[in-house]
Amino acid sequence: MLDRVPMLDGASDTAALMAEIGRNARAAGRPLALASPEAKTLALNAAADALIRNEAAILVANAADMRRAEESGLTSAAMDRLKLTPERIRATAVGVRTVAGLPDPVGKVTESWTRPNGLLIERARTPLGVIGVIYESRPNVTADAGALALKAGNPVVLRGGSDSTLSSAAIHASLLEGLRAANLPEAAIQLVPTPDRAAVGAMLAGLDGNLDVIVPRGGRSLVERVQTEARVPVFAHLEGLCHLYIDRSAKLGMAVEIAVNAKMRRTGICGAAETLLVDRAVADTHLVPVLEALHGAGCAIRATDEVRAFFPLATPATEEDWRTEYLEAIISVKLVDGVSGAIEHIEHYSSHHTEAIVAEDAAAAERFFREVDSAILLHNASTQFADGGEFGFGGEIGIATGRMHARGPVGVEELTSFKYRVRGTGQVRG
Amino acid sequence: MLDRVPMLDGASDTAALMAEIGRNARAAGRPLALASPEAKTLALNAAADALIRNEAAILVANAADMRRAEESGLTSAAMDRLKLTPERIRATAVGVRTVAGLPDPVGKVTESWTRPNGLLIERARTPLGVIGVIYESRPNVTADAGALALKAGNPVVLRGGSDSTLSSAAIHASLLEGLRAANLPEAAIQLVPTPDRAAVGAMLAGLDGNLDVIVPRGGRSLVERVQTEARVPVFAHLEGLCHLYIDRSAKLGMAVEIAVNAKMRRTGICGAAETLLVDRAVADTHLVPVLEALHGAGCAIRATDEVRAFFPLATPATEEDWRTEYLEAIISVKLVDGVSGAIEHIEHYSSHHTEAIVAEDAAAAERFFREVDSAILLHNASTQFADGGEFGFGGEIGIATGRMHARGPVGVEELTSFKYRVRGTGQVRG
């Protein structure tokens, strides 16, 4: 074994640490799965109390992270994501309390039926398994993801960004206070304590079989890496290339309002509209008012020549524009032949995250709902409703564009599996 | 590139063929997803008719497979699985007709709720994607899997065993007749036409992104290979190490009847009981009658010394016995301390497929249901009900012990994903 490359001590330490984290998470699975709804609610409410009580300590930790981030030249957008304020900490505590107040999903019977032989079959929710969350600068993900995983009875392994190490640790300390208050295992919510990137590799490899699903929260390069390298299932979306289609039957006022909201309310979120498709039949009436409103709100317009003939302030769109998630105040615009043309464009270019139709014609909306194959479809509502909180899930651990198990906002119920419970009176099979 | 290993022509042909099969399957996805319920029902009923009409041709093809299998020294069990008879063909046709008669899952709204802002959110089923099925000698899987995938609107790629090539092709021809009768794309149900094992490798690699899930149907070595090597999700169970627990509150007659049925009705299926756990509190009353009945039915008993003191015909059980799925007329037997002891043993040794409790004490049954983490749990019923048909699914493409997406019998509904449809009246997000 002369030519064997010796492992660095650091890497070896991280490997051992991650293996231990995985074993601890798995061991916490059964007590968590059997924890009473009351214990989980108590833990979450106590964690929310601790976040408020520990506000000063969390802010001190965050200030240290911010200083280091500034020195290392973090972008201002990333600095904003990293920054905690008393308001943000209180909002995080409210989020944890909201999750605490959700109905407990474990044991919930989602379907039941009786067979001709008298067997009563129930399908009941169970925890899903050990959840891994890999995130970047937002330290509040620590609390959001920890709370959702706990509510569904799942151990979670959190790996925050190296920029937010101290902030995440301070938030994690409050979660541990909650777990202790409810006598639940502290390994229910583990925060990876090392910035060593080998920790991420260990999670992608599945922690020796002790990690069941990974949720990446962050930019495209993180999600892409996780989707490519993970050896376990991933709940994620690579991008939200969302479309808004304005049908010939749309009310103009509604179309204007929804277009401005879908694009401009927040341009950096995955549910922001990136492409506007307008029915050619209403190019004369609807196109210009909608574009004027967008432009007036500060949005740059990239459009086909046909659209530019109506609205010369638009710059030319290239093929690349139809494939681009801007995440900025830019929108690509095109005329299409009714709902068929919209569906054709969307099925060709969409990332299958979220699409909306504005129409009074119910048949057009139903066709859009039926034929567009995206996680979230909206009729006469803004694409920016693509959010677990807005769906009533009390939060989300992410939004998935995969089709397996979870799709759309991933909330507490998507963090469960199920088992069949069959009640008989002595039946044997013939 | 001097040192590049040239590909064999055969391997290269198979690679090209499998890539084409994948592309064809993906292209069939949209027309299938949008196919009307009536078209799918028509296709399945026409396929069932064709199976009956083509009975003679199917039997001729099967006879040729059987001759070749006999020459190559196939085991008699495998020969039995390969063999088709007029009865088996008719039963296959009945199965296809049963699937035809199931409610169409696509578009079914499984949940809906209204938000405070008036948005109506629906969760509606969609097809799942391209399904791959890799199976061994049973040619009727061609029809069962093809029918279930089609009903759920999914293209399917079927790779049957090399022993059953001609039989599977003959059955597949009837399915194609059904697709043509309903004007559905023939690529909806593709049978891999080559016995080249590289075809399996291409499927495990995911057909260049054109395969979304794989279902292996066959022996342990096949399932193990698929679970280890597949780059796409797998619906499967490696083994069914199923337990039957007889509680102190069990009615003796019911316990005897369920024990004999759970073990002996068919010993080679995954829902057959392999380990019997009897409550120590009723060792004096229940143990011997149950073991006498099993022994009388031809079952060999392997047991702890404690059990052998009651029933000397039992041979000693070793540690290995608690981990063994016999799939034969053998059962391992042990006394446990009530439902706690049963749960402890099961959680340690089970493959988490199916477990049953016989008890009159409702609290014991509820505790068993709550604490045992297996796909199927039964109270006062035989483990042999672990079957999609017995669940009312009209068939099953397999039974899964994974926790992601599907668990237990995988029927038409488990072969769907879902999308959210949100109905508004002009809502924008604040």
Side-chain angles (χ1 to χ4, degrees), chain B residues 7-19 21 134 159 162 192 194-207 225 229:
Chain B
M7 275 207 286
L8 296 176
D9 277 354
S12 163
D13 287 353
T14 298
L17 170 74
M18 295 308 292
I21 284 176
I134 302 175
R159 208 288 182 177
S162 52
V192 175
T194 169
D196 183 355
R197 290 178 66 90
V200 172
M203 288 177 72
L204 295 177
L207 298 180
R225 180 181 172 203
E229 296 181 22

Side-chain angles (χ1 to χ4, degrees), chain B residues 360-422:
Chain B
E360 293 302 301
D361 177 0
E366 289 312 309
R367 186 157 170 224
F368 190 86
F369 274 4
R370 186 172 133 80
E371 298 196 18
V372 178
D373 180 25
S374 297
I376 303 171
L377 302 172
L378 303 110
H379 174 211
N380 290 347
S382 168
T383 55
Q384 301 234 353
F385 286 110
D387 173 273
E390 292 297 322
F391 271 53
F393 294 173
E396 66 182 24
I397 201 164
I399 294 188
T401 50
R403 310 175 71 82
M404 207 65 69
H405 189 90
R407 198 179 192 204
V410 181
V412 166
E413 297 207 338
E414 283 70 30
L415 295 180
T416 64
S417 180
F418 59 91
K419 60 184 169 192
Y420 289 103
R421 305 190 302 209
V422 184

Side-chain angles (χ1 to χ4, degrees), chain B residues 273-338:
Chain B
E274 306 292 5
T275 295
L276 172 69
L277 305 170
V278 178
D279 192 340
R280 192 166 275 119
V282 288
D284 285 334
T285 53
H286 288 45
L287 181 62
V288 172
V290 169
L291 297 187
E292 276 176 349
L294 282 166
H295 193 263
C299 185
I301 318 281
R302 299 192 187 168
T304 56
D305 289 346
E306 191 184 9
V307 170
R308 294 176 67 223
F310 286 91
F311 193 76
L313 288 170
T315 58
T318 66
E319 172 66 21
E320 197 50 29
D321 282 292
W322 315 118
R323 306 182 184 278
T324 301
E325 184 191 25
Y326 301 114
L327 296 173
E328 285 182 67
I330 306 171
I331 197 164
S332 55
V333 187
K334 187 181 186 179
L335 292 171
V336 293
D337 283 328

Side-chain angles (χ1 to χ4, degrees), chain A residues 34 127-128 261 265 366 369-370 372 375 377 379-380 403 405 407 417-420 422-424 426 429-430, chain B residues 34 127 261 265 366 369-370 372 375 377 379-380 403 405 407 417-420 422-424 426 429-430:
Chain A
L34 301 180
L128 184 59
N261 188 267
R265 174 185 161 271
E366 289 312 309
F369 274 4
R370 187 171 131 80
V372 178
L377 301 172
H379 173 210
N380 289 348
R403 309 175 70 83
H405 189 88
R407 199 181 191 204
S417 180
F418 60 90
K419 60 185 168 190
Y420 289 104
V422 184
R423 300 171 192 277
R429 192 165 167 194
Chain B
L34 300 181
N261 188 267
R265 174 185 160 271
E366 289 312 309
F369 274 4
R370 186 172 133 80
V372 178
L377 302 172
H379 174 211
N380 290 347
R403 310 175 71 82
H405 189 90
R407 198 179 192 204
S417 180
F418 59 91
K419 60 184 169 192
Y420 289 103
V422 184
R423 300 172 192 276
R429 192 164 166 195

